[in-house]
């Protein structure tokens, strides 16, 4: 077994998991925060980055992405171990220690907080078959490194905020940037669409992507076949990179294998956010209890309740009851 045993491992890096991780670090616990995507933030970051939120205490108006920025800033103060691109597939208990199996390493922990929202987000992928090796260099579903698009011919696919915003940003560094969307109208903020019109992005709509192959003359490049909607018009655009922003799908079916008691698709929790399993708690959108609201405000409150109960269970001798956090000032 790995030497490192965390006090609490939090599965899911949305608002619930991020704030719970911060709060647990503030209580001096050893914390792992595990997120299946390459970045933290959950729904506000992935589903509605530019939409404004008006019901988070002390923040009269904040966008999804700015809320994530603030949560990250707060979390960075406390230095918590983050496992990104890491999806937990199973949880098993051996000798009072929970073993979390992931697509990467196994994580060992005394307590777990499940904060998986609607389940693990995965990007919605192209639905036709293509050579999977294209994903190594030419096809992205996320921008991991903006530098990889520098001086390249880039096709961005999609019509939402992410696709519009990325095409504008990439057009500043790419050689040429195309935006392919199946409708003539975008589902993005009006201000972003106005910026798009002023940019050098070449808009190809209404087209859908029908095929993706290596360019036969130059294997570093790809040929993207586009079909015009309600027409037989076919175009093949040769590019270096294709960035697909078709949104996300989520999957919470995994919970059935974790032996955690469910009520419909949700985890049943006590007033102290306990599940039926020892030292396994759950918070945020995935839980249900009488009066539960699926809001960020409630998710934020549930974290401290779960962390405090875990702390009481793990270290009953510790003085855990602190009204004022100013005692944590260094
Ligand atoms: C369009 C829209 C608008 C909204 N507007 C508002 C609003 O104005 N105000 C408000 O309060 N709420 C709003 N909400 C609801 C709010 O976003 C949710 O209540 C909140 O995101 C719940 O946070 P969470 O951390 O529980 O879950 P999520 O935000 O869903 O985060 C869960 C995270 O867990 C990760 N994960 C899941 N499974 C695994 C796994 N097995 N391993 C590792 N990681 C995993 C996921 O990838 C995800 O990042 C809105 C929701 C939507 C969809």
């Amino acid at each position: 077994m790995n030497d490192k045993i965390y006090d609490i491992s939090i599965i899911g890096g949305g608002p619930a998991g991020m704030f719970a991780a911060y709060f647990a670090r503030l209580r001096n616990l050893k914390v792992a925060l595990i997120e299946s995507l390459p970045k933290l933030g959950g729904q506000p970051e992935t589903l509605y980055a530019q939409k404004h939120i008006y019901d988070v205490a002390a923040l009269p108006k904040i966008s999804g992405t700015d809320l994530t920025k603030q949560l990250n800033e707060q979390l960075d103060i406390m230095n918590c171990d983050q496992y990104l691109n890491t999806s937990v597939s199973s949880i098993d208990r051996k000798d009072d220690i929970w073993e979390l199996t992931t697509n990467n390493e196994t994580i060992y922990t005394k307590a777990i907080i499940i904060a998986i929202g609607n389940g693990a987000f995965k990007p919605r992928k192209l639905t036709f078959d293509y050579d999977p090796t294209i994903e190594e260099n030419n096809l992205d579903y996320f921008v991991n490194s903006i530098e990889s698009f520098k001086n390249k011919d880039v096709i961005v696919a999609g019509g939402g905020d992410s696709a519009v915003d990325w095409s504008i940003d990439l057009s500043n560094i790419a050689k040429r940037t195309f935006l392919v969307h199946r409708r003539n109208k975008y589902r993005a903020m009006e201000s972003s669409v106005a910026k798009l019109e002023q940019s050098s992005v070449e808009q190809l709509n209404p087209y859908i992507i029908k095929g993706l192959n290596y360019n036969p003359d130059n294997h570093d490049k790809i040929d993207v076949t586009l079909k015009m909607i309600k027409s037989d018009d076919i175009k093949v655009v040769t590019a270096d990179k294709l960035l697909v922003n078709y949104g996300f799908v989520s999957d919470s079916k995994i919970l059935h294998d974790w032996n955690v008691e469910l009520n419909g698709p949700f985890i049943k929790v006590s007033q102290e956010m306990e599940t039926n399993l020892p030292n396994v708690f759950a918070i945020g959108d995935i839980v249900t209890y009488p009066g539960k609201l699926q809001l960020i405000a409630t998710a934020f409150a549930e974290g401290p309740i779960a962390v405090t109960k875990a702390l009481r269970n793990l270290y009953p001798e510790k003085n855990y009851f602190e009204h004022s956090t100013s005692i944590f000032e260094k």
Side-chain angles (χ1 to χ4, degrees):
M1 190 191 288
N2 192 318
D3 290 344
K4 195 159 200 175
I5 300 175
Y6 288 102
D7 291 315
I8 300 185
S9 292
I10 298 168
I11 309 175
M18 289 178 82
F19 185 62
Y22 167 77
F23 190 87
R25 286 293 300 122
L26 201 60
R27 262 56 188 171
N28 245 330
L29 294 169
K30 281 189 222 134
V31 180
L33 178 59
I34 309 162
E35 169 56 49
S36 58
L37 289 179
K39 58 181 178 177
L40 299 175
Q43 295 172 48
E45 181 65 25
T46 48
L47 300 185
Y48 56 98
Q50 301 306 324
K51 187 189 89 74
H52 286 117
I53 305 164
Y54 295 91
D55 52 358
V56 177
L59 298 171
K61 173 181 173 182
I62 189 160
S63 70
T65 198
D66 284 344
L67 180 75
T68 308
K69 249 184 233 158
Q70 300 276 68
L71 285 165
N72 266 314
E73 210 173 291
Q74 190 178 38
L75 196 54
D76 283 348
I77 303 171
M78 298 310 296
N79 242 343
C80 135
D81 283 0
Q82 296 178 18
Y83 295 82
L84 301 179
N85 283 312
T86 304
S87 201
V88 177
S89 51
S90 64
I91 62 171
D92 297 286
R93 191 166 154 93
K94 286 185 192 139
D95 303 329
D96 287 354
I97 300 295
W98 285 98
E99 266 185 35
L100 309 186
T101 306
T102 78
N103 53 319
N104 297 317
E105 63 209 272
T106 303
I107 295 167
Y108 299 91
T109 187
K110 295 175 186 167
I112 299 173
I113 297 180
I114 304 174
I116 63 172
N118 293 329
F121 283 127
K122 289 191 186 121
R124 190 172 274 127
K125 294 200 165 188
L126 294 169
T127 50
F128 52 82
D129 289 336
Y130 55 84
D131 182 336
T133 62
I134 291 182
E135 284 193 23
E136 285 163 24
N137 292 313
N138 306 91
L139 170 61
D140 292 293
Y141 289 98
F142 290 102
V143 175
N144 289 321
S145 148
I146 195 159
E147 283 299 299
S148 66
F149 293 83
K150 206 169 174 180
N151 300 324
K152 299 279 167 69
D153 290 332
V154 178
I155 300 175
V156 179
D161 284 308
S162 295
V164 170
D165 290 350
W166 273 122
S167 65
I168 299 167
D169 285 355
L170 294 176
S171 69
N172 294 322
I173 59 156
K175 202 185 323 160
R176 282 179 86 180
T177 306
F178 301 90
L179 177 60
V180 178
H181 180 40
R182 64 195 163 123
R183 297 204 175 90
N184 287 315
K185 214 168 176 300
Y186 297 99
R187 280 176 292 104
M189 295 263 291
E190 276 172 24
S191 55
S192 300
V193 177
K195 263 196 213 158
L196 176 72
E197 299 301 343
Q198 301 300 313
S199 75
S200 61
V201 175
E202 299 171 55
Q203 300 174 47
L204 297 172
N205 40 26
Y207 277 98
I208 48 164
I209 301 181
K210 274 287 181 192
L212 175 62
N213 295 289
Y214 283 114
N215 180 281
D217 301 322
N218 180 350
H219 234 66
D220 291 338
K221 293 193 180 267
I222 44 173
D223 284 343
V224 181
T225 306
L226 307 177
K227 183 188 169 299
M228 191 181 237
I229 299 289
K230 293 187 184 158
S231 148
D232 293 332
D233 182 37
I234 298 279
K235 251 188 217 311
V236 177
V237 182
T238 301
D240 301 287
K241 292 278 230 177
L242 170 62
L243 172 65
V244 174
N245 281 152
Y246 285 169
F248 292 85
V249 284
S250 62
D251 177 10
S252 60
K253 284 190 217 100
I254 208 166
L255 283 179
H256 291 281
D257 300 330
W258 292 6
N259 292 325
V260 73
E261 193 183 345
L262 301 177
N263 183 351
F266 303 108
I267 300 176
K268 259 175 103 169
V269 286
S270 71
Q271 273 183 330
E272 290 179 292
M273 301 296 132
E274 297 158 295
T275 71
N276 57 312
L277 303 175
N279 287 329
V280 178
F281 304 83
I283 59 173
D285 273 14
I286 193 61
V287 303
T288 183
Y289 52 81
K292 166 68 185 169
L293 297 174
Q294 286 194 326
L295 289 177
I296 294 162
T298 40
F300 282 166
E302 289 158 7
I305 296 172
V307 168
T308 305
K309 179 62 179 160
L311 189 56
R312 281 180 181 151
N313 288 359
L314 300 177
Y315 301 106
E317 71 288 356
K318 274 199 185 169
N319 177 14
Y320 48 81
F321 191 72
E322 309 288 359
H323 276 301
S324 165
T325 44
S326 62
I327 59 148
F328 298 107
E329 281 168 17
K330 292 244 162 67

